Amino acid sequence: MATELYDITVPAFLRGFAAMAAFLEKGRNWADENDVPREALLDARIFEDMAPLTSQIQRVSDGAKLAIARLARIEAPVMPDTEASFDELQARIAATVDFIKSVPREKIDGRENAEIVVKLPNNELRFTGRGYVRDFALPNFYFHITTAYALLRMRGVPVGKRDYLGGI
């Protein structure tokens, strides 16, 4: 029986991006209303050796677009990781969502046993399509969304679980 990889990736990614775009907007508005420099949010880190909020959004984008591209055997759009403002981050989210929506279901479904190779600087990880989605793509996606949410919350932005879940 085929796993509907489209159904367990695309809706999750789209819901996550909608929630993230909304809580980023809430962060921007909160900063403006409270005379907090936007950079205090955009550059926020939980610890000095971790990536800031801007990078967390970039990693969410990369993780989702590369997952879809790897499953569909197509090239993902290149994004240079230069976003430094809320507007630029929102544009990146929109571009990633547009890419994900452009990939037809037929390119993703039926790839549950396909070999997926993730090349890292010092090694590579090999998965089946199903294992890649379950053990790498979705956990990585949620890790970076959760971190972005936590960075805003840590700075005082009044976001809650409903914001993270996308208003469910």
Side-chain angles (χ1 to χ4, degrees), residues 15-56:
R15 184 215 52 82
F17 282 116
M20 193 171 61
F23 67 66
L24 272 178
E25 191 61 24
K26 201 170 192 177
R28 176 201 328 235
N29 293 336
W30 178 86
D32 293 347
E33 291 164 5
N34 291 281
D35 296 319
V36 173
R38 290 179 177 182
E39 292 73 27
L41 299 181
L42 296 167
D43 297 336
R45 301 167 193 261
I46 294 172
F47 199 74
E48 68 262 4
D49 70 347
M50 74 179 291
L53 177 65
T54 53
S55 292
Q56 300 302 325

Side-chain angles (χ1 to χ4, degrees), residues 56-76:
Q56 300 302 325
I57 306 308
Q58 292 161 351
R59 298 300 69 80
V60 173
S61 167
D62 287 345
K65 71 185 172 86
L66 289 171
I68 295 301
R70 286 177 180 132
L71 290 169
R73 294 174 289 182
I74 60 175
E75 290 295 316

Side-chain angles (χ1 to χ4, degrees), residues 3 20 22 30 41 66 81 100 113 124 149:
T3 302
M20 193 171 61
W30 178 86
L41 299 181
L66 289 171
D81 295 344
I100 291 168
N113 294 316
E124 59 184 33
Y149 166 88

Side-chain angles (χ1 to χ4, degrees), residues 73-128:
R73 294 174 289 182
I74 60 175
E75 290 295 316
V78 175
M79 297 177 182
D81 295 344
T82 56
E83 297 84 9
S85 70
F86 282 99
D87 286 340
E88 291 171 336
L89 291 171
Q90 293 287 12
R92 182 171 180 139
I93 290 169
T96 306
V97 166
D98 288 345
F99 168 70
I100 291 168
K101 287 180 174 180
S102 77
V103 179
R105 170 186 287 279
E106 312 71 66
K107 298 285 277 181
I108 296 170
D109 282 347
R111 301 264 303 139
E112 63 275 357
N113 294 316
E115 183 178 45
I116 305 292
V117 178
V118 177
K119 295 182 185 213
L120 303 172
N122 297 320
N123 69 338
E124 59 184 33
L125 304 173
R126 294 182 174 278
F127 302 94
T128 63

Side-chain angles (χ1 to χ4, degrees), residues 138-163:
L138 287 173
N140 186 58
F141 179 76
Y142 287 121
F143 172 85
H144 290 289
I145 286 181
T146 300
T147 303
Y149 166 88
L151 288 167
L152 291 172
R153 188 71 185 111
M154 177 190 76
R155 291 288 191 214
V157 177
V159 291
K161 189 173 188 178
R162 291 180 78 93
D163 297 295

